[in-house]
Amino acid sequence: DFIQPMLSFMTALFTSDFKIYLLLIGSIFGYFLSRNIWTVVSLGKKNPYWYGLLFILVFSFIYAFWDINVMRFTLATHIFFFGWIKLLLYKNKWGYLFMIFALLVHFSFAIAIAVCLLYQILGKNFVKAYFIFFVISFFASDLNLATIKSQISFLPQNFIEKSDDYLDDDYKKKRVALTESKNFRGKFYQSSLKWAVGILLTTIYVHRKKIKGNLPLENLLAFCLLFVGVFNILSVIPSMNRFQFVSYLFAFTLFFAYFNGEINFKEKRIIYFCTPLILFYFVMKIRIGFEFTGLLTLLGGPFVALIKDGDIAMI
């Protein structure tokens, strides 16, 4: 909302070639994505098992490189994750700065930051309450959008104007109709990941004594339960389901850190049960990526992409 137009303006001072602008955006996105992947990998105490690799892959592709088509939200997501994970796990105060950057890229991250600040106040000691809230969120009924509109009247006018599109009943009906027109894969691949996340988070909560004393993982579990729960409920608002996938970044960070350690046979069975659900999502995500990724771009790399005109989609 601020940084993206500023980058557009700065690039336009030197060139009118959109590829140069895309190179700049892609470089920023690539930096934060690569740092975030490394943060997840660094939490593992040993070489990853096959399911550890699966968790890293899914983390890497929840917002993949082709998702810079949705430029502002995708950039804001990885900048936000970069900042908050530093604060949550390592108490690095620089994280606040990157969270502010995320807000300047996409205004809706004010909601995510508010949840983070709430967690800062409450802390990990309410993990049982977070878990109850998390379970309830999976079965919460539709919220009334008019009620939500009335509850945000105290916010600045600019924020309310930007929120109007998200809280419009007609827009919600259009989104529902669009979903209903999709085939089985299109309708349910996102839900499959939601339920896999729910089952795996519940498993970790039940066995949470294993991470007692490991403050970073205790914080990550408690925060995931709260964050996923909030955005499960808010997903009834059109376009807010995007934040469910932001929450899954934190969840898969936790899954890698927890399950790549010593786990028992029952926990392994849970992983085997959830693997088809995760793979269903992952395969569909790759299939969608084939629509946005060119053959020459993939084979030729960034230098070829700068000079070529036209391409053949991988699909």
Side-chain angles (χ1 to χ4, degrees):
D1 287 303
F2 173 76
I3 291 177
Q4 185 262 335
M6 182 182 70
L7 291 175
S8 300
F9 175 76
M10 290 173 60
T11 308
L13 294 175
F14 303 99
T15 179
S16 59
D17 189 348
F18 179 75
K19 293 174 185 176
I20 302 298
Y21 176 65
L22 196 61
L23 175 64
L24 174 63
I25 295 296
S27 299
I28 297 170
F29 175 79
Y31 174 79
F32 285 102
L33 173 62
S34 61
R35 295 306 87 202
N36 291 340
I37 292 171
W38 183 249
T39 296
V40 177
V41 172
S42 66
L43 293 174
K45 297 180 180 178
K46 57 179 73 174
N47 291 331
Y49 299 107
W50 66 265
Y51 44 81
L53 289 172
L54 178 62
F55 294 149
I56 292 172
L57 277 172
V58 174
F59 174 92
S60 305
F61 283 88
I62 285 177
Y63 283 103
F65 63 84
W66 56 79
D67 287 319
I68 60 171
N69 287 293
V70 189
M71 194 173 293
R72 290 182 303 126
F73 193 88
T74 305
L75 277 178
T77 293
H78 275 292
I79 296 172
F80 169 78
F81 181 91
F82 181 87
W84 177 241
I85 205 72
K86 299 291 184 190
L87 267 166
L88 187 65
L89 299 185
Y90 309 115
K91 306 300 180 185
N92 188 331
K93 302 298 183 183
W94 281 101
Y96 286 117
L97 179 62
F98 289 100
M99 291 167 70
I100 293 171
F101 282 162
L103 182 61
L104 293 176
V105 177
H106 202 289
F107 84 101
S108 63
F109 274 82
I111 303 170
I113 292 172
V115 178
C116 294
L117 294 178
L118 176 64
Y119 180 78
Q120 289 280 64
I121 295 170
L122 299 177
K124 64 181 178 62
N125 296 323
F126 293 92
V127 65
K128 290 183 179 179
Y130 297 153
F131 178 71
I132 294 170
F133 173 68
F134 164 76
V135 172
I136 292 172
S137 74
F138 272 81
F139 306 99
S141 59
D142 282 1
L143 297 174
N144 187 298
L145 297 185
T147 301
I148 298 174
K149 281 185 178 182
S150 67
Q151 295 301 315
I152 66 168
S153 57
F154 68 93
L155 294 171
Q157 184 62 31
N158 187 51
F159 191 97
I160 295 173
E161 289 173 359
K162 286 180 175 291
S163 302
D164 282 342
D165 288 339
Y166 295 98
L167 298 177
D168 183 73
D169 281 314
D170 291 335
Y171 178 56
K172 181 181 178 181
K173 290 175 183 176
K174 289 179 182 178
R175 291 293 296 262
V176 170
L178 183 63
T179 300
E180 289 300 316
S181 68
K182 295 178 180 178
N183 59 25
F184 173 85
R185 298 184 304 277
K187 284 181 182 179
F188 296 110
Y189 82 101
Q190 293 182 346
S191 297
S192 72
L193 190 66
K194 174 182 177 178
W195 286 102
V197 167
I199 294 167
L200 291 172
L201 270 180
T202 300
T203 301
I204 297 175
Y205 173 80
V206 170
H207 297 92
R208 67 191 183 280
K209 288 184 179 179
K210 290 171 60 175
I211 59 173
K212 191 170 180 61
N214 187 331
L215 192 58
L217 288 193
E218 284 187 295
N219 272 319
L220 189 53
L221 171 61
F223 175 72
C224 281
L225 292 172
L226 175 63
F227 202 75
V228 174
V230 167
F231 289 107
N232 275 347
I233 291 175
L234 292 183
S235 64
V236 68
I237 302 173
S239 296
M240 284 299 290
N241 69 314
R242 293 183 293 182
F243 277 101
Q244 287 181 294
F245 294 91
V246 178
S247 72
Y248 299 160
L249 291 176
F250 294 99
F252 275 88
T253 303
L254 175 63
F255 298 160
F256 178 78
Y258 179 88
F259 289 111
N260 206 57
E262 298 299 325
I263 60 175
N264 58 41
F265 179 69
K266 288 183 179 179
E267 290 171 315
K268 282 187 178 179
R269 285 203 302 181
I270 294 294
I271 292 175
Y272 291 138
F273 176 78
C274 290
T275 295
L277 296 173
I278 296 172
L279 285 175
F280 179 38
Y281 170 82
F282 184 68
V283 171
M284 279 297 296
K285 183 71 179 183
I286 297 297
R287 181 246 180 269
I288 292 168
F290 276 16
E291 296 184 30
F292 294 97
T293 307
L295 182 63
L296 293 177
T297 300
L298 196 64
L299 297 177
F303 297 108
V304 173
L306 281 171
I307 60 175
K308 70 177 176 61
D309 287 314
D311 204 345
I312 303 169
M314 290 291 293
I315 195 67

